[in-house]
Amino acid sequence: MEFTAGSFQITNSGEFVACFLAGTRIATPDGDVAVEDLVRGDLVLTADGRSRHILWIGRQAVAATFADPSTCYPVRIMAGALAEGVPVRDLYVSPDHALLVDDVLVQAGALVNGTTITRVEQPEERFTYYHIELEDHALVLAEGAPAETFVDNVTRRRFDNYAEYEALFGACEARLPELELPRIKSARQLPRAVRERLATRAEALGFVGAAAA
């Protein structure tokens, strides 16, 4: 199901990609900038310290009423949940968006532990995700946490503003190889070392008795 609200086409979970929730601050050479304020051509900082130009920014609006909570509702990663000061403030991403944890790409849904990393149960009725595309699949700093940029193992046509991409670059064709890193897609695949890291951080943040499963 889909419907239009203003300039946004709002979709349900059948049309979905991995993205940053509006308001997420992305590191740039001039400081952190909310993802929705970035535009094509802006520079962002990657986790390895390089400055990279944005090729395109995809946008997708979601209506909570028509969305599948398990695939569409944001995951909240509390400040300090991954390491001391990482992220620097609460980070909200879609469940399938991956972050780099212990040299492994872990999708946010797989990190949920019920304490420091949780699913947002009651998001705003309408919310918007944004995704950053660079010349290749890379890691940018989102609230200080290394998080993946767009990789076209999903189609750009799922974005509301795909027509902008097509006008700039023509037909949507896969061209971005994924980073050569293991990817964790579910909690059962999560390495024990990562579980223990999350439990240790949860205890440090005041969640008494948090333990690795």
Side-chain angles (χ1 to χ4, degrees), residues 21-188:
L21 187 65
T24 301
R25 299 184 305 182
I26 306 297
T28 80
D30 297 319
D32 292 346
V33 177
V35 66
E36 66 269 27
D37 292 332
L38 293 169
V39 297
R40 168 175 158 77
D42 282 352
L43 287 171
V44 293
L45 292 177
T46 55
D48 60 5
R50 291 181 293 165
S51 296
R52 304 284 303 280
H53 285 284
I54 294 173
L55 186 69
W56 185 66
I57 296 180
R59 183 189 69 237
Q60 187 169 44
V62 179
T65 299
F66 302 101
D68 180 348
S70 67
T71 59
C72 293
Y73 285 13
V75 170
R76 170 181 175 258
I77 301 166
M78 182 182 291
L82 303 179
E84 180 69 33
V86 181
V88 295
R89 71 170 190 165
D90 292 357
L91 170 63
Y92 294 85
V93 295
S94 61
D96 287 345
H97 197 115
L99 294 91
L100 186 69
V101 184
D102 291 348
D103 297 320
V104 177
L105 287 174
V106 186
Q107 293 182 180
L111 290 169
V112 170
N113 61 4
T115 55
T116 56
I117 303 175
T118 56
R119 295 180 184 273
V120 176
E121 295 183 356
Q122 294 183 320
E124 295 182 2
E125 177 51 37
R126 297 178 182 177
F127 54 94
T128 305
Y129 285 120
Y130 294 82
H131 214 342
I132 297 169
E133 182 171 349
L134 306 182
E135 288 288 350
D136 56 10
H137 189 214
L139 297 165
V140 292
L141 297 172
E143 306 296 359
E148 68 178 338
T149 59
F150 176 76
V151 60
D152 48 9
N153 52 18
V154 293
T155 176
R156 295 177 188 82
R157 291 186 178 88
R158 292 184 179 179
F159 290 103
D160 300 343
N161 59 330
Y162 167 69
E164 296 174 9
Y165 180 92
E166 192 172 39
L168 288 166
F169 305 107
C172 178
E173 296 180 357
R175 60 175 187 79
L176 298 173
E178 191 167 356
L179 285 166
E180 294 184 0
L181 293 168
R183 178 179 286 268
I184 302 299
K185 296 183 178 182
S186 66
R188 65 180 177 81

